[in-house]
Amino acid sequence: GSAMAAQFFDAMKRDIDPDQLIREGRYTEIMGWLRDHVHRYANRYPAEKVLEMATGEPFNDEYYFKWLRGRYI
């Protein structure tokens, strides 16, 4: 789950600036992106397919490792 979330977050950054929105407490736009790219498909497709549809690529653990390095190193 966390590894997929890191990939979703990276894809989200292509369309909006989630870091700035979080700082400003503007979660509606983040939830809108998730609704449009993830939640609307979650009941119809397997998680791997939703991930690929939202991010444009199959699961890639490098996004998670990049997040871990930024958080803990």
Side-chain angles (χ1 to χ4, degrees):
S2 295
M4 291 177 91
Q7 189 167 337
F8 282 126
F9 194 70
D10 195 78
M12 184 186 297
K13 288 180 180 181
R14 294 180 215 148
D15 298 326
I16 61 176
D17 185 350
D19 295 314
Q20 182 65 33
L21 293 170
I22 291 168
R23 281 192 292 276
E24 295 173 1
R26 295 171 46 201
Y27 304 106
T28 304
E29 289 148 87
I30 293 169
M31 292 305 298
W33 190 95
L34 289 169
R35 182 185 59 249
D36 293 344
H37 295 88
V38 179
H39 299 159
R40 73 176 350 157
Y41 302 113
N43 289 329
R44 286 187 249 173
Y45 301 102
E48 295 81 11
K49 178 68 175 169
V50 174
L51 179 75
E52 189 168 352
M53 291 167 58
T55 67
E57 64 181 296
F59 176 70
N60 181 343
D61 60 7
E62 275 305 309
Y63 293 102
Y64 186 58
F65 293 128
K66 178 176 136 184
W67 178 82
L68 286 172
R69 285 188 294 273
R71 175 116 174 133
Y72 296 107
I73 295 178

